[in-house]
Amino acid sequence: MTFKVFLQYALPHRFLSRLVYWGTRWTFAPWKNWLISTIVRNYEVDMTEAAQPDPLAYQHFNAFFTRKLKPGARQADADPAALLSPADGRISQAGQIVDGRIFQAKGQDYSAAELLGDEAAAAPYRNGRFVTVYLSPRDYHRVHMPLTGTLRETVHVPGRIFSVAPFAVEAIPRLFARNERLVCHFDSTRGPFTVVMVGAILVSSVATVWDGLVIPPYAPSIRRKSFAGQNITLERFAEMARFNMGSTVILLLPEGMAELDALAPQQAVRVGQRLGSAPQG
């Protein structure tokens, strides 16, 4: 075990995340300007796409981190049958779910049931398809709909807050099924699909367009919230949620609902880009 991986186990995840949560919302100009400038410089953030291109004009670091883009900066694939990327970032892994197990990295996998916190909810995905997208600090941190869907339920699953950077994904067993996460279950004309928002160290924070800030607070146990009958339908490509700091999105699709294109690990993707074909019934 490397020292960097050892730290992932040893650090007080939630305490550090709470500190960073408040630090990234501090409006003291010298602090927030230093923090924003450091990220822009070190990660070569492209501010020309942002609705507010001046990085120092943001009220605090989190406002910069969750920045809007200019109209037209991202567009949905023109094919209405295209399955869309829900996020900017890089493909961590993508492919078939094999007998309920999802590939994480070489030598690592985890079950759909433990990811979703529910055996029954995982049943439709037993031999389905998955796409895992890793968002780095340089990326646009709003998540959009891969397909048109009606929200059925969210499940806030408690857990650790390990880093989701590639070094951690390769070294920490079942990482995505151990981190704090928000599971969003949708229904479509072709069947169910699920978008999982996986938190990461230094603010495991998720906000949705229908419920506002959901994480924190961190969950002491699994928390379910039903949206049945509320008719919350989000169109393909519409914004659905955002991450405040570190993040990974996992998309689960039942068998026969979609066919993925050839997606390679570390392949760059953008919101609205075609990931495969999912014709609507």
Side-chain angles (χ1 to χ4, degrees):
M1 180 184 294
T2 67
F3 181 68
K4 190 158 59 169
V5 172
F6 168 76
L7 283 178
Q8 293 299 308
Y9 289 95
L11 290 172
H13 292 185
R14 289 188 172 183
F15 173 73
L16 290 176
S17 292
R18 287 186 178 97
L19 286 181
V20 174
Y21 180 90
W22 293 111
T24 55
R25 287 162 176 75
W26 192 17
T27 58
F28 182 55
W31 164 255
K32 63 98 175 174
N33 289 347
W34 172 80
L35 205 54
I36 292 171
S37 297
T38 298
I39 293 295
V40 170
R41 180 178 63 254
N42 290 349
Y43 289 93
E44 300 179 343
V45 178
D46 183 3
M47 293 301 297
T48 64
E49 297 182 323
Q52 170 51 269
D54 179 3
L56 303 187
Y58 291 89
Q59 180 184 13
H60 45 60
F61 180 84
N62 193 64
F64 152 77
F65 198 79
T66 59
R67 61 194 174 276
K68 290 183 179 180
L69 300 183
K70 292 176 180 176
R74 298 290 181 275
Q75 296 185 4
D77 188 278
D79 181 359
L83 173 71
L84 304 182
S85 174
D88 281 16
R90 291 188 178 274
I91 298 294
S92 176
Q93 297 292 338
Q96 185 174 357
I97 302 169
V98 180
D99 198 23
R101 299 203 68 82
I102 301 170
F103 185 60
Q104 177 175 300
K106 185 176 181 180
Q108 309 284 0
D109 66 6
Y110 56 94
S111 75
E114 58 186 344
L115 176 69
L116 304 182
D118 189 324
E119 289 276 357
Y125 306 110
R126 184 174 183 83
N127 292 294
R129 302 292 184 268
F130 78 97
V131 181
T132 304
V133 181
Y134 164 65
L135 292 76
S136 78
R138 68 169 295 168
D139 291 315
Y140 170 61
H141 271 71
R142 299 191 183 201
V143 177
H144 292 238
M145 294 290 287
L147 301 165
T148 296
T150 299
L151 182 66
R152 176 172 20 103
E153 181 185 40
T154 60
V155 184
H156 180 180
V157 185
R160 298 294 300 272
I161 317 177
F162 293 114
S163 169
V164 293
F167 82 89
V169 172
E170 293 173 2
I172 299 175
R174 303 169 30 258
L175 186 151
F176 299 128
R178 297 168 71 179
N179 269 19
E180 193 108 6
R181 56 204 179 275
L182 183 70
V183 177
C184 304
H185 293 292
F186 293 93
D187 291 315
S188 77
T189 57
R190 288 287 306 279
F193 66 93
T194 297
V195 180
V196 183
M197 309 274 290
V198 182
I201 197 167
L202 302 184
V203 185
S204 170
S205 183
V206 174
T208 66
V209 298
W210 56 81
D211 241 0
L213 187 66
V214 180
I215 307 173
Y218 302 117
S221 58
I222 289 178
R223 295 177 175 175
R224 302 178 183 278
K225 186 170 183 179
S226 174
F227 292 88
Q230 296 189 33
N231 297 318
I232 300 175
T233 298
L234 299 177
E235 296 296 321
R236 171 179 177 268
F237 189 60
E239 182 183 336
M240 61 164 283
R242 68 184 66 174
F243 281 112
N244 303 308
M245 299 295 283
S247 41
T248 287
V249 179
I250 302 175
L251 171 62
L252 302 185
L253 303 155
E255 184 176 11
M257 183 175 182
E259 289 301 325
L260 300 180
D261 292 343
L263 301 171
Q266 299 309 307
Q267 175 183 332
V269 292
R270 305 177 92 188
V271 166
Q273 179 178 330
R274 175 192 169 98
L275 298 179
S277 177
Q280 295 297 290

